[in-house]
């Protein structure tokens, strides 16, 4: 398992090393289309980029989905969110060893994936790693709607830690004690970033529809 930051860094390094790949940052695609011989995208500054194939990996606000399926332009909310977190293994009080791969746990309507990750310096030595987790939760959908993350049945954005009230952090901490065994119980102690070493929380509304 690798953190998103590590995967991104390696992909970026591969792009930078390949002379046949041109990366354009901060370029907003406004529309996509295709003809008999090619496909293309048009950017916000009216540039057109053509290719044999256009691949849309543009998330819940997909411009490609709108182009491919204009009758279904939105990402439909699937009815739950994922709490995501990351903390240092050394901050865990539990002496239980971490799994070699992924723990998949069930607690009623809740599901949890917990996994060890290399430390910030790339170390995989026990005690110096990081602990990542994803908690699938269907009991806080009201928070998504209160913050505008979900409007009606459409996913608009993800939560940040600043969107999450202190009461929700406490509620999740109590819930974790009853649902999850060590070391995941300790790894999921909800605190705002900065209150513990390299620990962060965010919440992502899950879409039930994918681009064609």
């Amino acid at each position: 398992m690798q953190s998103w930051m590590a995967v991104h860094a390696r992909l970026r390094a591969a792009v930078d090393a390949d002379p046949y790949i041109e990366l354009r940052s901060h370029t907003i695609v406004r529309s996509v289309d295709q003809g008999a011989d090619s496909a293309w995208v048009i950017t916000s500054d009216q540039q057109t980029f053509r290719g044999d194939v256009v691949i849309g990996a543009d998330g819940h606000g997909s411009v490609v989905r709108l182009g491919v399926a204009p009758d279904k332009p939105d990402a439909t909310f699937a009815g739950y969110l994922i709490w995501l977190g990351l903390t240092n293994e050394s901050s865990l009080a539990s002496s239980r060893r971490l799994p070699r791969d992924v723990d998949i746990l069930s607690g009623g309507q809740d599901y949890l994936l917990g996994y060890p990750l290399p430390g910030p310096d790339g170390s995989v030595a026990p005690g110096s790693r990081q602990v990542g987790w994803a908690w699938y939760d269907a009991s806080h959908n009201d928070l998504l709607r209160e913050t505008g993350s979900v409007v009606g049945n459409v996913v608009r954005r993800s939560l940040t830690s600043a969107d999450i009230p202190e009461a929700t952090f406490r509620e999740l901490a109590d819930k974790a004690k009853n649902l999850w065994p060590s070391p995941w119980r300790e790894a999921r102690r909800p605190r705002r970033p900065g209150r513990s070493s390299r620990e962060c929380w965010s919440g992502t509304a899950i879409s039930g529809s994918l681009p064609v």
Side-chain angles (χ1 to χ4, degrees), residues 8-42:
H8 181 273
R10 291 180 181 180
L11 288 173
R12 182 58 189 265
V15 166
D16 291 341
D18 192 327
Y20 295 103
I21 297 177
E22 180 181 356
L23 179 65
R24 291 178 175 258
S25 301
H26 311 294
T27 302
I28 300 173
V29 173
R30 292 300 188 192
S31 64
V32 301
D33 208 339
Q34 64 182 358
D37 301 316
S38 68
W40 59 88
V41 302
I42 300 175

Side-chain angles (χ1 to χ4, degrees), residues 78-95:
Y80 61 96
L81 61 84
I82 300 180
W83 299 108
L84 301 172
L86 182 68
T87 191
N88 285 338
E89 183 182 8
S90 59
S91 69
L92 303 181
S94 172
S95 60

Side-chain angles (χ1 to χ4, degrees), residues 111-136:
Y111 295 88
L112 184 133
L113 279 65
Y115 37 88
L117 296 168
D121 60 354
S123 175
V124 294
S128 63
R129 296 170 294 182
Q130 292 180 304
V131 179
W133 47 268
W135 178 352
Y136 293 71

Side-chain angles (χ1 to χ4, degrees), residues 148-180:
S149 298
V150 173
V151 178
N153 202 34
V154 175
V155 178
R156 296 298 187 192
R157 67 178 183 89
S158 294
L159 293 172
T160 67
S161 60
D163 293 318
I164 308 170
E166 290 289 347
T168 301
F169 277 88
R170 293 192 294 269
E171 181 181 335
L172 289 169
D174 291 339
K175 189 175 181 180
K177 292 177 184 177
N178 297 321
L179 283 178
W180 315 124

